[in-house]
Amino acid sequence: MASTTTTTTTINGDDSIQDSSKTGNVYTMHSKDGHFHRQHSTFRSPITPSSVPDSPFPAAPDRYVLYVSMICPWAHRALILRRLKHLDSLIQVVVMDYELGPEGWFFSGRDGTAEKDPLYGYTKCKELYLHADPQYDARYTVPFLWDKANETIVNNESSEIVRMLETAFDEFLPESEREATKGEKGLYPEHLRSEIDQMNEWVYDKINNGVYKTGFAATQEAYEAHVVPLFDALDRVERHLQDPEHQPYLFGQHITEADVRLFTTLIRFDAAYFTLFKCNMYMIRDEGHYPRLHWWLRNLYWNHEEFRETTDFEQLKKGYATAIKGAIVPVGPVPHIMPLSGK
């Protein structure tokens, strides 16, 4: 069995967060300072085009498996990219339960999720991580790409998985669907890369991760330190969309990876983060505050099945309710997303 290299990691350098080998619970959501710190990913290998010499992970049909949970916005990124790139027949998907157990994600068969791992019969995500690396002692996260040939995890960093799905399998697609052919219509076009990278950086820190830093804050100070920058960043996106060159998508007439990365957080905002994570200064559907952002979100959801059909509101609400140890799953909002009407 081949294995990628992993390292023992602390979470943003904060070793006050105890690891699962000591506590039995891999999801202590905050450190002693009351702040949420996200773990660094440890499997970081690339899948390369099959023409790359001596690559341990060459692109190939039906070799790789994408493991996800429908609650997870990071996994949702990869699900959308898989659909946008028409990789459904090339990359298998396995959906784990929407709830985090004491040892992380698991298989249950609830609500259409997998009853067990189809490759080895495992019942916990943990078992796959330890199959790949018996010394692994950090959190067992999704998404990750599994290589059936080498029996190991290739990569568990969502941003890198997104980039791999954008181009690594293009040789198996029709010429018209390859990124090199699409040019400025691509998901990460060369002329926009600097702007996309800059936006991804602050959207990740203040919005994608900002909802978690707000929702899992354990002190009032930590909560207020993150909730205000979160809404400042949403205001910034609203201003960004005022530019005619940033319509109907974040960078003009074509969907880019920036749209995907922002969508997976904002589609969860009104249904989960507003109530369960106390990100409650405004809802995205607040037309008085976010008219353009609300339109952008509804446009992606209602007009693009790749976004709509990979979103499961019931699973994500149940998952976030259990993540905060809540016994009640919110009924609303009603509807989960407003219809596409008006601008």
Side-chain angles (χ1 to χ4, degrees):
M1 178 183 72
S3 174
T4 53
T5 300
T6 65
T7 58
T8 301
T9 61
T10 57
I11 301 174
N12 287 1
D14 184 354
D15 58 8
S16 65
I17 299 180
Q18 296 174 301
D19 67 46
S20 58
S21 64
K22 297 181 177 67
T23 68
N25 189 329
V26 297
Y27 279 91
T28 302
M29 289 300 188
H30 55 80
S31 61
K32 292 179 180 178
D33 64 3
H35 292 259
F36 171 80
H37 300 280
R38 186 165 297 282
Q39 172 180 291
H40 299 297
S41 300
T42 52
F43 292 89
R44 306 294 289 268
S45 297
I47 295 174
T48 64
S50 63
S51 59
V52 175
D54 302 319
S55 170
F57 303 111
D62 197 34
R63 174 168 172 167
Y64 299 98
V65 183
L66 176 64
Y67 285 86
V68 301
S69 172
M70 299 304 289
I71 177 184
C72 177
W74 318 99
H76 196 179
R77 295 177 176 184
L79 284 173
I80 293 172
L81 254 294
R82 176 176 171 269
R83 291 289 302 275
L84 285 172
K85 290 293 298 184
H86 304 110
L87 300 176
D88 308 53
S89 63
L90 300 177
I91 301 173
Q92 180 182 357
V93 166
V94 176
V95 181
M96 285 179 268
D97 196 88
Y98 50 80
E99 181 179 349
L100 279 171
E103 295 181 297
W105 305 105
F106 59 93
F107 299 90
S108 71
R110 290 192 294 182
D111 296 339
T113 61
E115 293 185 6
K116 60 183 179 180
D117 174 48
L119 299 184
Y120 305 102
Y122 293 149
T123 60
K124 299 175 183 177
C125 180
K126 170 183 178 179
E127 294 172 287
L128 285 158
Y129 270 80
L130 295 180
H131 189 120
D133 179 3
Q135 303 304 312
Y136 186 84
D137 65 354
R139 297 181 185 181
Y140 313 108
T141 61
V142 292
F144 62 89
L145 279 169
W146 183 270
D147 177 16
K148 291 190 282 189
N150 287 318
E151 296 191 65
T152 194
I153 295 172
V154 181
N155 199 295
N156 68 341
E157 168 52 52
S158 67
S159 62
E160 293 176 6
I161 292 173
V162 163
R163 291 277 170 90
M164 283 186 272
L165 296 182
E166 285 174 358
T167 60
F169 295 86
D170 274 10
E171 64 189 280
F172 305 106
L173 301 177
E175 185 79 24
S176 61
E177 295 179 13
R178 300 175 185 178
E179 293 301 298
T181 304
K182 289 182 178 179
E184 66 179 20
K185 299 180 181 180
L187 290 162
Y188 188 53
E190 188 169 355
H191 72 293
L192 290 174
R193 287 182 180 179
S194 176
E195 292 179 72
I196 289 173
D197 288 344
Q198 291 175 28
M199 187 171 207
N200 284 347
E201 183 176 1
W202 61 263
V203 164
Y204 165 78
D205 182 45
K206 303 301 183 185
I207 300 177
N208 299 145
N209 204 31
V211 295
Y212 284 88
K213 290 187 285 187
T214 300
F216 290 125
T219 66
Q220 188 69 29
E221 178 275 328
Y223 169 72
E224 294 183 11
H226 298 300
V227 71
V228 174
L230 165 62
F231 282 90
D232 286 345
L234 292 173
D235 290 345
R236 183 175 177 181
V237 179
E238 178 69 20
R239 292 193 299 272
H240 175 90
L241 289 168
Q242 290 178 0
D243 188 333
E245 294 188 1
H246 298 156
Q247 299 171 11
Y249 308 109
L250 290 174
F251 288 97
Q253 294 298 312
H254 308 288
I255 292 171
T256 67
E257 68 171 48
D259 293 286
V260 175
R261 290 170 60 119
L262 181 60
F263 174 88
T264 60
T265 295
L266 295 198
I267 199 61
R268 289 160 170 75
F269 202 93
D270 290 2
Y273 302 142
F274 180 88
T275 300
L276 296 168
F277 276 15
K278 301 180 179 65
C279 301
N280 55 7
M281 292 174 67
Y282 306 98
M283 281 187 160
I284 302 302
R285 67 186 64 198
D286 185 340
E287 289 284 345
H289 208 81
Y290 299 124
R292 296 172 182 83
L293 190 55
H294 189 210
W295 171 259
W296 168 87
L297 182 66
R298 288 177 294 152
N299 179 39
L300 285 173
Y301 182 86
W302 290 113
N303 286 332
H304 300 278
E305 62 183 17
E306 300 90 347
F307 292 78
R308 184 176 64 257
E309 293 179 0
T310 55
T311 301
D312 190 316
F313 287 108
E314 292 303 328
Q315 285 199 40
L316 70 88
K317 288 198 301 182
K318 291 175 183 177
Y320 282 115
T322 59
I324 63 167
K325 311 302 181 185
I328 305 299
V329 178
V331 172
V334 179
H336 288 129
I337 182 168
M338 299 296 287
L340 186 63
S341 59
K343 192 170 181 178

